[in-house]
Amino acid sequence: MCTSVEVLETVSWPAVSNATRGWVRSVFQPVNAGDQLYDASGAHFGPNQGLTCDGWSFSTNTKFGLAVSGDGRFQNPGFVDACDVARPIACCALLP
C-alpha cells in the first residue's frame, strides 16, 4: 500500500484512469494545529475522523480515508474520501 509520501515523490505514473481513486496510507506530520491532524499530502482532519476508515474496518460515509487518483492527485486540498465507496488499494514499488 502506497504511503502519501511515496505518492508525492512519484515522478512517473502508470496508465490508470484519473477517475479511479485508490486508498493510500497516511504519513502524519508533527504540526501543532490544535485538534487538527495533518498528513504529508496536506489533508487534515479532526482527531475523531482519521484517515484510515477507522483502521480500514468501516465502510460508512461517516468515516474517512486518504485516496489518490490515477494521475497522483489527492482530493481537493484539505479534503479526504468517505469510506462508503469501494476503492482499490494504491500500490507502490521501486522501478527495477
Side-chain angles (χ1 to χ4, degrees):
M1 181 180 225
C2 293
T3 67
S4 56
V5 171
E6 288 173 319
V7 170
L8 293 170
E9 292 176 345
T10 297
V11 294
S12 178
W13 287 95
V16 177
S17 166
N18 291 349
T20 301
R21 296 183 62 73
W23 294 119
V24 174
R25 186 169 50 92
S26 298
V27 177
F28 300 111
Q29 301 301 296
V31 176
N32 185 5
D35 67 348
Q36 294 290 304
L37 300 173
Y38 282 79
D39 173 72
S41 68
H44 56 88
F45 49 94
N48 296 322
Q49 292 176 311
L51 278 180
T52 63
C53 297
D54 211 2
W56 305 112
S57 58
F58 284 87
S59 58
T60 66
N61 65 358
T62 60
K63 300 292 182 182
F64 301 92
L66 186 63
V68 64
S69 64
D71 61 356
R73 295 177 189 224
F74 292 99
Q75 194 62 286
N76 294 332
F79 291 89
V80 292
D81 293 87
C83 299
D84 61 340
V85 176
R87 302 181 190 284
I89 295 172
C91 295
C92 291
L94 298 175
L95 291 175

